[in-house]
Amino acid sequence: NGLESALKNFQRRLDAMLGGRGGGGPDSSSGDQGSSGFGWYIAGGLLLLWLASGFFQVEASDRGVIQRFGKFTGVRDPGWGYALPWPIETVTKVNVSRVNSVEYSSRMLTADVNLVEIRAGIQYQLSDPVKLLFQVRDPEATLRAISESAIREIVGQSNLDQVLGVGRQQI
């Protein structure tokens, strides 16, 4: 059988690289039994290591998003878990308890045609890791653009006294 001879030839070369006896000695009845057994032990050990690499831990502040071949399959809560090792499944950990912030400044026109410079800081917390990973391309830029648009609308409808005075907190 051609496949069997190719496999034995590969095992002989592997055994020779690893410093084995190469088969064919006086205690080898079929020519390559020692090399064959050693090769299977290496393959089995590598398989076990690969399977063991699938264990993961999700911290209390995180959620683990599981993807199988790149497709979303589920969200894991904090604790230990197992996912089939890479490249079959991947686990992406997303911090859902940290308070993030985005700051920006911009010049805007008021309703009475005065130019004001607005500096704003927006704080947010991620609530859904799936939406973060799969539905928004750049979350911070999106948040910055939406917030600036909302503030521009409010400042554009207010006069300078409202923006700088009592209405500042409402804005």
Side-chain angles (χ1 to χ4, degrees):
N1 182 330
L3 180 61
E4 188 174 312
S5 65
L7 181 60
K8 283 185 180 183
N9 194 11
F10 172 74
Q11 288 174 343
R12 255 188 248 121
R13 281 193 234 145
L14 180 64
D15 193 37
M17 285 191 312
L18 296 174
R21 60 193 156 104
D27 58 340
S28 177
S29 60
S30 69
D32 209 15
Q33 290 296 329
S35 173
S36 174
F38 185 67
W40 285 112
Y41 284 129
I42 289 177
L46 290 174
L47 179 66
L48 287 175
L49 284 173
W50 180 72
L51 289 172
S53 70
F55 288 101
F56 64 91
Q57 181 179 11
V58 178
E59 300 295 327
S61 61
D62 296 344
R63 295 298 174 269
V65 178
I66 310 292
Q67 293 173 271
R68 183 172 297 135
F69 297 117
K71 184 179 179 185
F72 170 72
T73 59
V75 176
R76 298 281 172 91
D77 290 328
W80 284 95
Y82 184 80
L84 293 172
W86 182 89
I88 298 170
E89 290 184 341
T90 56
V91 179
T92 306
K93 298 173 186 173
V94 177
N95 190 322
V96 294
S97 65
R98 181 179 64 220
V99 176
N100 304 300
S101 63
V102 174
E103 295 181 7
Y104 70 90
S105 65
S106 181
R107 292 184 179 172
M108 301 177 189
L109 282 175
T110 62
D112 55 354
V113 195
N114 287 305
L115 187 63
V116 293
E117 184 170 331
I118 302 288
R119 290 189 186 128
I122 297 149
Q123 294 183 339
Y124 66 97
Q125 191 171 6
L126 300 172
S127 62
D128 189 353
V130 176
K131 288 181 181 176
L132 171 76
L133 293 175
F134 301 114
Q135 294 181 359
V136 180
R137 183 169 294 150
D138 186 0
E140 285 194 10
T142 302
L143 180 65
R144 181 178 288 124
I146 290 171
S147 302
E148 186 174 348
S149 175
I151 292 173
R152 278 186 187 280
E153 181 178 351
I154 294 170
V155 169
Q157 295 173 356
S158 306
N159 61 35
L160 183 63
D161 292 334
Q162 291 172 326
V163 172
L164 296 178
V166 181
R168 180 178 178 182
Q169 290 300 325
Q170 289 179 325
I171 292 174

